[in-house]
Amino acid sequence: MNENKGEKKETKKEKAKKKETNNKHFPLNARIKIINFDDEPELNGHIGRVKSKTRKAGYVKIVLQNRKETMRIPAECLELCPLPMSVIGEQAREYIAARVRMISACDEDQKSTDVSSIEKVGFNRSKRSSQMKGTEGGACTSSLLKILYDHHQNNSSPKKDLSFGDIVKDMRKTLHSRGYQQTPQLSSSRPMHLTTPWEFVPTKNFSGNRRALIIGIRYMGMPWELPGTHNDCFNMISFLKRFHGFQDKDFTILMDDHTHTPPTRANILKAFRKFASECQPHDAAYFHFSGHGGSVPDESGDETDGMDETLHPLDHLQAGEILDDEVYEEFILHLRDGVTLNAVVDSCHSGSVFDLPFELFGPGKGLDKDFSAVRFPHMEVAREYRRTLSLQKTKKKHLPINARIKIVNFDEEPSLNGFIGFVRSKPKKSSGRIKILFPTTTETMKIPQQCVKLFPLPMNELTKQAREYLSARVHLISASEDDTQLAPGVNEQSKSQAEGVEGGACTSAFLNILYDHENTNPDGVLKFGSIMKNMKQILVSRGQQQQPQLSSSRPVQLTAPWEFVPSKNFSGNRRALIIGVRYKGAPWELTNSHRDCNNMMKYLKRCHGFKENDFTILMDDDKHTPPTRANMLKAFRKFAFECRPNDAVYFHFAGHGGSVPDEGGDETDGMDETMYPMDYLTAGEILDDEVYEDFILHICSGVTLNAVVDSCHSGSVFDLPFELFSPGKGLDQDFSAVHFPHMEIA
């Protein structure tokens, strides 16, 4: 009898344990670990994901990592095993770059409700007319707006922020107290606290634009017509304008009201893509959808409940519903890092219509505490998108010729990984490979561009080599890149400030900037970067295609001041070498080159204290030394030797330039840049090698030379090592393409 009693007691314990097990539920997709599983001990410690609720028999269906098959495990042999928060955060950023928060009208398996009168969710009739349009609306949107308006009315300048948790709790309380069964949900692209303030526009340091995409579908004349959806949209727009500074231009609106763009399937997807592409870092974005939603069987296998959530466009019967997969892939995935999107989706089955990873406020799930059921259903899509984006950027932004690189992830020949080389070609369109020179072997090899990583020298090593290469500080503004022809002259200079109205496009733009600075801000600092950006803007506004460039003998910040004469402790002399070649009577005559030189001299005299005896002038005007090849080389040498430490020196060349095949083997593009003296047809051009060897190399330490070369193919006519402002190369940031073509001569 005692044994029978003992057996009876054991049976009760087993029943209690079984009851406890049956009550042990795990969120769908929760990450779990198998423990104490005596049936198959080798599975203990394995990680998996929950794929079903706990069955009455106490089992849970799970799928193990790296396996596709599912298996049933007793609930008591499972424990939650969430990823470390650092890993979750990293995966979340890879999955969605932007910060996205969505309030949905209900859970995935619920339906949302319209209200025939917004007073049913608590709006006072006496206040309604001034705040809300119409009497009908979605229960979710109406309860949200009630909470938002109450917050602003009870706090004329609200000190207490409304948090995401406050809003969702109050929405649930409002709806449930009035007999509505739907349960609003909160999900996010990032782990966050429910105490985080809900902000349509950041209250601190907001520097972006306001943007809103509003979609309201009434389905007019159909049995499932929703009479309150347009009111929802107009009321939301009114609130954003009244309290958060949104203007009409900030809204993209799709509504079936014969006034706005109709919300067809094609138009909604197009609006998703356009809105996402227009959102920029620091923008405050809002999305609102009021309409029907649904659910259909999941065919891609990414849904834990086997169902895809959908939005119903106006033409969904003909064109089809919009799956949550499409909302993610066409909209959410494309939002940039730095964008914050707050969204409200007022439709049935809307709980995971964005497929966001974090369910912060799901009924009974408590995921705001441990994030154990975080899911990334489209991670492979996200990774492929990031890879494509990276490849597109790589194709658009070619590695600069002569850039110092390291070979990485080169699976074809792993032994080359880690080797240092230099870029010798642009990527081939067909293969995407670039030619790399390995300095230790002098051999070249074609490597896929994705296996090549910029690897600049340390700055102290660069500076050391730069001083050895050139003693002086030299800054050159050239009219165009090495492979660019110049635009014709322009008529933009003021007669009161310049001799004549015609001038070279580069010199004219440069002088406009200098005179504007003197007239508007003479005591301010004019920076290298400002000059280059403004020159480019001026030339583009005049229809010129040339791209001015800035190069230097030293690494220098674009924020550094451009000074013809040092503003502090100047103790040297002013010197200027001015060369203008008109080629009078030739078919290629330049009628503007002499004016460029005279205008530049006039500016230096007027604004920087230069005098007549400070100028060495070569011009083919029958007044000055003619700019023949011999005279130019002689002037280069003489001018360089006369310069002394602390002198403020300026050089200006206005004339023709060109390029010829490089015979010295020092040019990365295989071409030498040249200057054309007046007698170049008989005496020859002046190569960039000669400009360096006869002029730049001989300027002594302590001298600062600022130069403008207004000619074709002038980008590297001084053969300076640092390209500080070169279109699309960004070399002002990393100096990866520094080269010293004449180091042996130096």
Side-chain angles (χ1 to χ4, degrees):
M1 188 157 178
N2 289 338
E3 286 181 9
N4 290 336
K5 280 186 179 179
E7 285 177 8
K8 208 169 185 181
K9 284 183 180 179
E10 188 66 25
T11 303
K12 286 181 179 179
K13 286 181 180 179
E14 287 178 356
K15 285 183 178 180
K17 187 175 181 180
K18 187 176 180 181
K19 185 177 180 181
E20 182 183 346
T21 299
N22 287 341
N23 291 331
K24 186 178 181 180
H25 292 297
F26 295 94
L28 285 179
N29 208 54
R31 187 174 186 267
I32 52 82
K33 181 193 288 187
I34 299 176
I35 56 171
N36 305 323
F37 187 36
D38 297 333
D39 291 357
E40 295 186 48
E42 67 275 9
L43 291 179
N44 287 329
H46 279 233
I47 304 298
R49 292 278 179 178
V50 173
K51 292 303 178 187
S52 75
K53 294 180 180 179
T54 306
R55 306 299 184 188
K56 289 183 178 180
Y59 285 90
V60 179
K61 189 183 289 186
I62 69 164
V63 60
L64 295 177
Q65 274 185 358
N66 305 321
R67 298 188 191 179
K68 290 185 178 180
E69 66 272 14
T70 59
M71 63 187 305
R72 294 192 306 166
I73 305 288
E76 69 266 18
C77 297
L78 300 176
E79 69 175 6
L80 285 175
C81 186
L83 282 167
M85 191 55 68
S86 58
V87 176
I88 289 177
E90 184 179 336
Q91 290 190 0
R93 285 178 174 81
E94 185 179 10
Y95 185 66
I96 298 173
R99 287 189 175 273
V100 182
R101 294 88 172 250
M102 177 182 72
I103 290 179
S104 49
C106 57
D107 202 358
E108 298 165 2
D109 56 357
Q110 289 183 319
K111 293 185 177 182
S112 64
T113 313
D114 260 16
V115 293
S116 58
S117 172
I118 57 175
E119 292 180 357
K120 291 185 177 181
V121 295
F123 268 105
N124 186 293
R125 176 177 289 276
S126 62
K127 296 179 181 179
R128 182 187 59 77
S129 60
S130 64
Q131 296 173 354
M132 307 288 283
K133 180 173 181 176
T135 59
E136 297 163 308
C140 168
T141 304
S142 300
S143 62
L144 172 63
L145 282 167
K146 174 194 179 298
I147 293 162
L148 296 175
Y149 271 113
D150 285 350
H151 178 68
H152 280 276
Q153 287 173 346
N154 296 334
N155 303 272
S156 56
S157 65
K159 293 182 180 179
K160 182 181 180 296
D161 291 323
L162 265 178
S163 70
F164 283 90
D166 292 335
I167 289 176
V168 179
K169 287 177 185 176
D170 288 349
M171 286 177 70
R172 290 181 175 186
K173 183 178 178 182
T174 298
L175 292 170
H176 293 169
S177 66
R178 287 165 171 77
Y180 299 103
Q181 300 303 311
Q182 67 194 76
T183 304
Q185 311 285 297
L186 173 63
S187 54
S188 171
S189 65
R190 296 283 189 279
M192 70 176 201
H193 293 290
L194 295 179
T195 55
T196 301
W198 170 288
E199 294 180 314
F200 287 97
V201 179
T203 54
K204 294 180 180 179
N205 304 322
F206 175 60
S207 58
N209 295 308
R210 296 166 172 82
R211 302 180 191 274
L213 174 58
I214 309 293
I215 302 175
I217 315 178
R218 180 165 180 166
Y219 315 94
M220 196 173 292
M222 299 179 185
W224 47 84
E225 181 175 347
L226 294 175
T229 53
H230 291 179
N231 293 339
D232 285 346
C233 294
F234 286 125
N235 291 334
M236 204 68 226
I237 291 168
S238 176
F239 174 81
L240 291 172
K241 287 181 180 179
R242 180 175 177 183
F243 292 106
H244 295 286
F246 281 71
Q247 301 174 17
D248 286 334
K249 65 180 178 61
D250 300 326
F251 292 95
T252 300
I253 303 172
L254 280 72
M255 283 200 283
D256 49 346
D257 60 355
H258 305 296
T259 301
H260 299 92
T261 302
T264 62
R265 175 183 166 82
N267 286 342
I268 291 176
L269 291 175
K270 181 180 177 181
F272 282 164
R273 291 188 288 266
K274 186 172 186 292
F275 188 77
S277 67
E278 289 175 346
C279 287
Q280 300 299 320
H282 310 299
D283 282 359
Y286 176 74
F287 172 76
H288 191 98
F289 179 85
S290 284
H292 279 299
S295 60
V296 296
D298 170 37
E299 296 182 358
S300 59
D302 57 65
E303 295 287 345
T304 56
D305 62 353
M307 303 296 287
D308 273 320
E309 286 63 56
T310 66
L311 302 176
H312 288 191
L314 176 63
D315 59 344
H316 69 277
L317 290 180
Q318 299 81 27
E321 305 169 47
I322 297 175
L323 302 181
D324 50 9
D325 299 3
E326 295 175 286
V327 177
Y328 171 82
E329 293 176 24
E330 300 289 333
F331 183 23
I332 305 303
L333 177 61
H334 296 275
L335 293 166
R336 293 179 177 87
D337 184 22
V339 173
T340 298
L341 173 72
N342 292 318
V344 173
V345 178
D346 195 349
S347 67
C348 301
H349 308 283
S350 52
S352 64
V353 75
F354 276 13
D355 275 339
L356 300 178
F358 300 96
E359 293 181 337
L360 301 172
F361 210 116
K365 296 178 182 176
L367 299 184
D368 51 302
K369 295 180 181 178
D370 57 33
F371 300 117
S372 58
V374 172
R375 66 190 186 108
F376 302 100
H378 308 293
M379 184 58 93
E380 285 307 310
V381 174
R383 285 173 177 160
E384 183 59 32
Y385 170 72
R386 306 283 175 223
R387 282 193 291 268
T388 304
L389 205 61
S390 177
L391 186 59
Q392 288 174 348
K393 287 180 179 178
T394 300
K395 287 181 178 178
K396 288 179 181 177
K397 186 178 180 181
H398 298 313
L399 292 171
I401 299 295
N402 207 57
R404 187 173 186 265
I405 55 85
K406 179 192 285 188
I407 308 297
V408 295
N409 304 322
F410 188 35
D411 296 334
E412 293 176 28
E413 294 192 40
S415 59
L416 290 179
N417 288 328
F419 272 55
I420 305 299
F422 293 90
V423 175
R424 284 295 186 257
S425 75
K426 293 180 179 179
K428 301 292 183 184
K429 289 184 179 179
S430 57
S431 64
R433 292 175 178 255
I434 55 179
K435 190 182 289 185
I436 300 298
L437 169 69
F438 296 102
T440 54
T441 63
T442 68
E443 295 178 358
T444 59
M445 185 174 184
K446 292 179 180 178
I447 307 287
Q449 187 166 0
Q450 65 267 27
C451 298
V452 173
K453 179 182 178 182
L454 285 174
F455 194 66
L457 281 167
M459 189 56 68
N460 60 344
E461 182 65 25
L462 283 179
T463 304
K464 181 181 177 181
Q465 290 192 17
R467 292 180 188 279
E468 185 180 1
Y469 184 70
L470 283 175
S471 299
R473 288 188 174 273
V474 183
H475 311 121
L476 167 69
I477 292 177
S478 49
S480 64
E481 293 181 274
D482 294 340
D483 57 356
T484 307
Q485 297 271 353
L486 279 193
V490 292
N491 301 314
E492 292 291 344
Q493 288 176 285
S494 167
K495 286 185 180 180
S496 64
Q497 297 175 344
E499 180 197 89
V501 295
E502 196 175 61
C506 170
T507 305
S508 297
F510 183 51
L511 281 167
N512 278 357
I513 294 163
L514 297 176
Y515 274 118
D516 284 347
H517 179 72
E518 292 296 333
N519 293 334
T520 60
N521 189 22
D523 298 325
V525 175
L526 191 58
K527 301 173 183 177
F528 283 94
S530 300
I531 290 175
M532 300 309 298
K533 289 176 183 176
N534 290 336
M535 282 182 70
K536 183 177 179 181
Q537 288 174 1
I538 290 172
L539 291 169
V540 169
S541 70
R542 295 172 180 170
Q544 314 295 346
Q545 300 303 313
Q546 66 197 74
Q547 298 278 349
Q549 297 204 93
L550 174 64
S551 53
S552 172
S553 64
R554 297 281 191 280
V556 64
Q557 297 293 324
L558 293 180
T559 54
W562 170 286
E563 294 181 311
F564 286 97
V565 179
S567 55
K568 294 180 180 179
N569 304 321
F570 175 59
S571 59
N573 295 309
R574 295 168 172 82
R575 301 179 190 275
L577 174 56
I578 308 293
I579 302 176
V581 195
R582 180 167 179 166
Y583 315 94
K584 194 170 184 180
W588 47 86
E589 181 176 352
L590 293 176
T591 57
N592 54 7
S593 57
H594 290 178
R595 288 195 176 97
D596 284 346
C597 294
N598 289 324
N599 291 336
M600 201 67 229
M601 288 189 285
K602 184 173 182 179
Y603 169 79
L604 292 172
K605 291 176 186 177
R606 176 178 174 180
C607 300
H608 295 286
F610 280 71
K611 298 177 181 178
E612 289 291 345
N613 61 359
D614 296 329
F615 293 98
T616 299
I617 306 169
L618 281 71
M619 284 200 283
D620 49 346
D621 60 356
D622 300 324
K623 297 179 183 178
H624 300 92
T625 302
T628 63
R629 175 182 166 82
N631 286 341
M632 284 177 64
L633 291 175
K634 181 180 177 181
F636 285 163
R637 290 188 290 268
K638 185 174 184 293
F639 189 77
F641 283 120
E642 288 177 347
C643 290
R644 294 289 178 265
N646 303 318
D647 281 359
V649 183
Y650 178 74
F651 172 78
H652 193 98
F653 177 82
H656 279 301
S659 60
V660 296
D662 170 38
E663 295 181 359
D666 56 69
E667 294 288 344
T668 56
D669 61 355
M671 302 296 288
D672 273 320
E673 286 64 57
T674 66
M675 291 180 175
Y676 285 13
M678 65 177 291
D679 61 343
Y680 76 95
L681 287 178
T682 55
E685 304 166 49
I686 297 176
L687 302 181
D688 52 9
D689 300 1
E690 296 175 285
V691 177
Y692 173 83
E693 293 173 27
D694 283 30
F695 183 22
I696 307 301
L697 177 61
H698 296 282
I699 301 174
C700 64
S701 176
V703 173
T704 298
L705 169 66
N706 292 316
V708 172
V709 176
D710 196 349
S711 69
C712 302
H713 307 282
S714 51
S716 63
V717 75
F718 277 13
D719 275 340
L720 299 177
F722 299 95
E723 291 181 338
L724 301 173
F725 196 97
S726 184
K729 296 180 181 176
L731 299 184
D732 50 301
Q733 296 175 3
D734 56 34
F735 301 117
S736 57
V738 173
H739 72 137
F740 302 99
H742 308 293
M743 184 60 91
E744 289 304 313
I745 295 172

